[in-house]
Amino acid sequence: MALPASSPGSAALVTGASSGLGEAMARELAQRGHGVVLVARSEERLRALAGELATAHGVRAEAVACDVTDPAARDRLEAEVARLGLRVDVLVNNAGFGTYEPFVETPRERVLAEVRVNTEAVADLTARWLPRMVERGAGAVLITASTAGFQPLPGNAVYSAGKSFALTFAEAIGHEVKDRGVTVTALCPGPVKTGFQDASGAHDFAAGLPKPLWRTPAQVAAAGIDGLARGRRVVVPGAPNRVLATIGRLSPRPIVVRVMDSS
């Protein structure tokens, strides 16, 4: 199993592509010769990035504005990809955000939006394109999870639960299609130097994380796409993060919850 070769009419669809890790994923794929469909809410930024990638790498790059929390918008995304005459051979489910505060202090609307983007949209977009990959006997799906998904995180409950879903979902469906010519990889980065922390209200939390845990978006994107190309089930960039992920996965839950309590 490997990353499908780029061909006329094929594309890698990347959600959350307007900035941060999603943008880095799009750059990495375009650099490797893949046409890309860039998906996010910010159409202006997407169009600028699409033009840049097309010019720099000679690939087809399309920008499609879409709020993936909205089921109707996801319907329109699928219809637009079909209208463009593109076949999604690589799907990168990357869009997401977190909330760093006690659950009872988080507005219900934000909780639901976070669940929709981190779990519902991942399952829905995968359900739209993975079966077609299986029918063709070729394709690849990269799902951005997190080291947060290896254990429960008080003060970050919805995010860690959502990323646990992303991780176990990717592992399970990856096993289901492993003999069907399709690769599914869960990418589980630790902290990444993007605007995610500020957008999620995690600036103070992030400031206390040790420097060896941090990676740049380009480092994480390269590790994720390399892992996808090699048929890896789970990718955790950086040795320190792999150690912590293993501890989080194997340690007794009552101990983990006490240790990870950010209150």
Side-chain angles (χ1 to χ4, degrees), residues 122-154:
V122 170
D124 186 10
L125 296 180
T126 304
R128 292 171 190 264
W129 280 293
L130 179 61
R132 303 175 201 183
M133 296 179 190
V134 170
E135 289 175 4
R136 295 192 298 270
V141 178
L142 183 65
I143 296 175
T144 300
S146 167
T147 52
F150 288 102
Q151 66 284 300
L153 296 179

Side-chain angles (χ1 to χ4, degrees), residues 113-212:
E114 188 173 344
V115 169
R116 286 175 183 134
V117 69
N118 290 349
T119 61
E120 180 184 293
V122 170
D124 186 10
L125 296 180
T126 304
R128 292 171 190 264
W129 280 293
L130 179 61
R132 303 175 201 183
M133 296 179 190
V134 170
E135 289 175 4
R136 295 192 298 270
V141 178
L142 183 65
I143 296 175
T144 300
S146 167
T147 52
F150 288 102
Q151 66 284 300
L153 296 179
N156 194 204
V158 177
Y159 182 73
S160 62
K163 292 306 181 180
S164 179
F165 167 83
L167 170 59
T168 56
F169 176 65
E171 289 181 294
I173 62 174
H175 179 79
E176 291 176 1
V177 301
K178 66 183 177 66
D179 298 322
R180 309 289 293 275
V182 179
T183 298
V184 181
T185 298
L187 174 61
C188 301
V192 185
K193 297 174 182 176
T194 67
F196 174 87
Q197 289 76 28
D198 290 334
S200 301
H203 183 269
D204 292 342
F205 172 80
L209 295 174
K211 288 183 179 180

Side-chain angles (χ1 to χ4, degrees), residues 16-26 45 94 192-196 217-218 221:
S18 61
S19 63
L21 184 52
E23 178 184 343
M25 296 276 202
R45 173 59 187 145
N94 172 76
V192 185
K193 297 174 182 176
T194 67
F196 174 87

Side-chain angles (χ1 to χ4, degrees), residues 4 10 13 27 31 90 108 154 158 163 166 199 214 219 231 236 238:
S10 72
L13 188 151
R27 291 183 181 280
Q31 182 178 320
V90 180
R108 172 177 168 272
V158 177
K163 292 306 181 180
W214 289 87
Q219 288 173 321
V236 182

Side-chain angles (χ1 to χ4, degrees), residues 207-233:
L209 295 174
K211 288 183 179 180
L213 300 180
W214 289 87
R215 293 292 181 274
T216 66
Q219 288 173 321
V220 174
I225 302 302
D226 282 344
L228 190 64
R230 295 170 183 169
R232 298 269 302 278
R233 193 69 53 82

Side-chain angles (χ1 to χ4, degrees), residues 35 47 84 103 105 117 122 161 191 226 233 240-241 256:
R47 291 194 180 281
L84 291 168
F103 178 80
E105 297 176 11
V117 69
V122 170
D226 282 344
R233 193 69 53 82
N241 288 310
V256 171

